[in-house]
Amino acid sequence: MAGTIVEDYGTGGMPSSTEGMSSEQRYQSGDSLAEWRSCEQVENGTPSTSLLYWDTDDEDDYGPKPSELYGRFTWKIENFSTINKRELRSNAFEVGGYKWYILIYPQGCDVCNHLSLFLCVANHDKLLPGWSHFAQFTIAVVNKDPKKSKYSDTLHRFWKKEHDWGWKKFMELSKVYDGFIVADTLVIKAQVQVIREKAHRPFRCLDCQYRRELVRVYLSNVEQICRRFVEERRGKLSKLIDDKVRWSSFRAFWLGIDPNARRRMSRDKTDAILKVVVKHFFIEKEVTSTLVMDSLYSGLKALECQSKNKKGRAQLLDLEELPAPMVRIDKDMFVLADDVLVLLERAVSEPFPHQPLPPKDDKCTQNRTKNRTKDGSSGEEFNKDSIERDEWRLSELGHRMVEIFVLAHIFSRIEVAYQEAVALKRQEELIREEEAAGQAENELRGKAWCC
C-alpha cells in the first residue's frame, strides 16, 4: 500500500518526517489551500474588513500569537481497500512548537464496524517529565461532495497518560465508501490550534480563519452560554427588585451613603474581576470554551474602545451600534457608568441582545461549507456579510457578558455592605429593646419598693 501525505501548514506549522508509511511530501499550492474546508467561507485567508473583531494581535501581549500556534495537515491514504493493518500512523507534523501525528484504525479501535481516528503527540515518551500540551483540533474525512465531509472538533490537554485523543466511533465503516473513497484514496485533514492560556484576563485562543469556521458551527452554543449566564444574574437581581420592602430598604441604604463612599464602592480592580471571569467561563473539556474566551476578549476590547473612544486604529465594534455602557474602564479599574440603582433596574428590564435574522438565502449559517455562485463574485460578497454578521454577534455577546459580570461582581460587594448595615441596625434595635425592657423592669421594682 502506498500513502501520500500532503503537508499543509499555517504560520505555526513546520513539517518533519518520521518512520511510518511510505510517503511523498509536498506543500500545497495556493489553489489547493483554497479547497481547505471550502475556504470560500474564510475568504481564502483574506483578513476581514469588519470593524467588529480585532484580527490584529494584542499589542500588549508579547508571547506567541494564536496564528503562530495554528497549523493544518492533510494525509492521503492510497489503496485504502487493500489495507490489512490494524493501525496506521501519518508522518509527524509540527504545530505550535510540538510534533503530532494522526493515528487511524481502519477497522476500529476496541469497536466494530467503525473508523477510529486520533491525534497523538509524537515522541511523547521522550518529553521532559510534567509536559503538557493544550490544544483544540478538528479532524475531517473528506467526501467528494464537500458538504458531506465528516468533521469532529474537540478540546483536550495532552499529557503523559493522555498523549492521544480522538474518536473510537468517528464514522461507520459502511459509510466510508459513500463518497469518501475516491480512486481508492481516503483523505484525512486535521487542524490543530495550540492554546496558550492566561489566568488573569480573557485571551485570544484561535487563529482568525479557524475561529471563523468554528463560529459558524458553534455560535448558537455560545449564545446559549451567554443567555444562561445573563438570565441567571438577572434572576437574582429581579428577586431583589421585586421584593418591594427589601428594595426600598436597599435604596434607603444606598442613598444614605456619602457620595464619595458610593463612588468608591462603584468600582473595582480590573485584574481582580477578570481573573474570576476566566475561571468562570473557561472550561477545559468544553469545545466551545475557546470561542467563549475569544468572545469575551472581543467584548473587553469593545468596552475599552467605548471607555477610551480610541481613534486612528481599527476598532472592534461600531460604537454607535452598542447600547449605552453599563461599565467603563478607567486605567486599571472597572467603574459603573451610572448609579447602581439605575443600572440594576436596567439590567433586569433590558432584553437579551437580539440576533438579527440572516438573509433569506442563508439557509444554514452552521454549514461548514458555502458554495460560490458560478461567476464567483456574489458568493464572496454574501460570504463576507455572513462572516461579519457572525463576528459581530460574537463580539456583542462578549461585551454583554463582561458588563453583566462586572455589574454583578460590584453589586455583590455593595450587597455585603448592605447586609452588614442591616445586621448592625438590627443589633442596635435589639440593644435598645433590651435597654427599654430593663428600664421598664427597674421602674416596676421601684414602684413595688415604694408600696
Side-chain angles (χ1 to χ4, degrees), residues 113-157:
N113 303 318
H114 280 82
L115 185 72
S116 302
L117 276 171
F118 303 90
L119 178 69
C120 310
V121 176
N123 302 320
H124 63 87
D125 54 336
K126 297 179 181 178
L127 298 177
L128 294 176
W131 68 269
S132 173
H133 306 341
F134 191 38
Q136 179 151 359
F137 64 95
T138 298
I139 292 183
V141 176
V142 180
N143 193 289
K144 62 183 179 182
D145 179 355
K147 292 182 180 180
K148 295 182 179 179
S149 294
K150 168 69 175 176
Y151 298 89
S152 287
D153 315 280
T154 192
L155 182 66
H156 183 64
R157 186 177 298 280

Side-chain angles (χ1 to χ4, degrees), residues 406-429:
V406 173
L407 174 60
H409 180 90
I410 291 177
F411 169 69
S412 67
R413 295 170 61 245
I414 296 174
E415 188 178 30
V416 169
Y418 163 69
Q419 291 170 346
E420 290 176 347
V422 169
L424 179 60
K425 182 179 179 181
R426 180 57 182 158
Q427 186 178 28
E428 291 173 347
E429 290 174 351

Side-chain angles (χ1 to χ4, degrees), residues 332-446:
D332 62 343
M333 302 289 287
F334 278 122
V335 182
L336 296 185
D338 205 339
D339 184 82
V340 69
L341 299 175
V342 174
L343 293 178
L344 292 177
E345 291 178 333
R346 178 182 160 192
V348 169
S349 61
E350 196 169 80
F352 187 80
H354 176 64
Q355 168 66 53
L357 292 175
K360 292 182 180 179
D361 57 345
D362 186 6
K363 296 181 180 179
C364 180
T365 59
Q366 289 193 3
N367 282 344
R368 297 204 184 227
T369 58
K370 287 288 179 184
N371 293 328
R372 295 178 186 266
T373 55
K374 291 183 179 180
D375 63 4
S377 57
S378 60
E380 289 182 4
E381 195 64 32
F382 162 76
N383 184 60
K384 174 184 172 182
D385 292 341
S386 178
I387 289 171
E388 292 193 355
R389 184 178 65 246
D390 290 344
E391 292 191 342
W392 165 266
R393 184 59 172 168
L394 199 67
S395 301
E396 183 185 33
L397 293 172
H399 182 265
R400 179 72 167 190
M401 284 191 286
V402 170
E403 282 203 318
I404 294 296
F405 199 103
V406 173
L407 174 60
H409 180 90
I410 291 177
F411 169 69
S412 67
R413 295 170 61 245
I414 296 174
E415 188 178 30
V416 169
Y418 163 69
Q419 291 170 346
E420 290 176 347
V422 169
L424 179 60
K425 182 179 179 181
R426 180 57 182 158
Q427 186 178 28
E428 291 173 347
E429 290 174 351
L430 291 173
I431 291 173
R432 286 196 295 268
E433 289 175 3
E434 290 178 358
E435 290 176 345
Q439 184 176 356
E441 185 177 350
N442 289 334
E443 288 177 355
L444 288 174
R445 287 179 180 176

Side-chain angles (χ1 to χ4, degrees), residues 58 198-205 270 273-275 277-278 292-298 300-301 402:
D58 192 339
K198 294 181 182 178
H200 65 285
R201 64 187 293 115
F203 53 94
R204 285 277 303 275
C205 294
T270 54
I273 296 179
L274 292 178
K275 285 180 182 178
V277 170
V278 174
V292 171
M293 199 52 50
D294 271 22
S295 174
L296 290 166
Y297 172 91
S298 172
L300 182 61
K301 288 297 180 183
V402 170

Side-chain angles (χ1 to χ4, degrees), residues 48-266:
S48 171
T49 58
S50 169
L51 298 180
L52 319 176
Y53 207 108
W54 289 22
D55 283 335
T56 55
D57 292 315
D58 192 339
E59 67 274 19
D60 299 325
D61 187 350
Y62 301 103
K65 314 304 179 187
S67 58
E68 298 167 348
L69 302 174
Y70 168 79
R72 299 183 292 261
F73 179 79
T74 300
W75 182 20
K76 292 185 177 180
I77 306 174
E78 297 177 346
N79 302 320
F80 187 79
S81 62
T82 65
I83 295 175
N84 54 16
K85 294 182 178 180
R86 180 175 181 268
E87 65 178 61
L88 298 172
R89 293 187 180 189
S90 73
N91 275 15
F93 58 97
E94 187 171 322
V95 174
Y98 308 132
K99 292 183 179 180
W100 314 83
Y101 66 88
I102 299 172
L103 179 63
I104 180 175
Y105 290 81
Q107 300 299 321
C109 174
D110 300 329
V111 294
C112 298
N113 303 318
H114 280 82
L115 185 72
S116 302
L117 276 171
F118 303 90
L119 178 69
C120 310
V121 176
N123 302 320
H124 63 87
D125 54 336
K126 297 179 181 178
L127 298 177
L128 294 176
W131 68 269
S132 173
H133 306 341
F134 191 38
Q136 179 151 359
F137 64 95
T138 298
I139 292 183
V141 176
V142 180
N143 193 289
K144 62 183 179 182
D145 179 355
K147 292 182 180 180
K148 295 182 179 179
S149 294
K150 168 69 175 176
Y151 298 89
S152 287
D153 315 280
T154 192
L155 182 66
H156 183 64
R157 186 177 298 280
F158 294 83
W159 61 295
K160 180 180 179 180
K161 293 186 177 181
E162 292 184 352
H163 51 80
D164 53 5
W165 199 255
W167 301 268
K168 289 185 177 182
K169 295 183 178 181
F170 187 87
M171 64 184 301
E172 296 178 16
L173 287 178
S174 60
K175 296 181 179 179
V176 172
Y177 288 92
D178 185 16
F180 293 94
I181 305 293
V182 179
D184 206 18
T185 299
L186 182 71
V187 178
I188 298 173
K189 294 188 175 185
Q191 296 181 81
V192 181
Q193 176 73 69
V194 174
I195 308 296
R196 187 171 64 92
E197 302 163 88
K198 294 181 182 178
H200 65 285
R201 64 187 293 115
F203 53 94
R204 285 277 303 275
C205 294
L206 303 170
D207 169 80
C208 63
Q209 292 188 26
Y210 193 29
R211 183 190 70 246
R212 291 171 190 169
E213 179 179 313
L214 291 174
V215 76
R216 298 192 67 80
V217 182
Y218 296 109
L219 180 57
S220 62
N221 300 73
V222 176
E223 285 187 332
Q224 290 172 12
I225 291 169
C226 177
R227 184 181 295 275
R228 282 197 302 268
F229 169 74
V230 171
E231 293 301 331
E232 178 187 343
R233 293 301 188 273
R234 287 176 63 181
K236 292 180 179 179
L237 297 178
S238 293
K239 289 181 180 179
L240 169 63
I241 295 175
D242 291 343
D243 186 336
K244 302 303 181 183
V245 174
R246 189 171 172 226
W247 179 239
S248 176
S249 172
F250 178 79
R251 289 177 60 89
F253 157 77
W254 182 249
L255 295 175
I257 296 177
D258 176 75
N260 290 328
R262 288 207 301 265
R263 281 192 289 271
R264 288 194 300 271
M265 296 172 71
S266 297

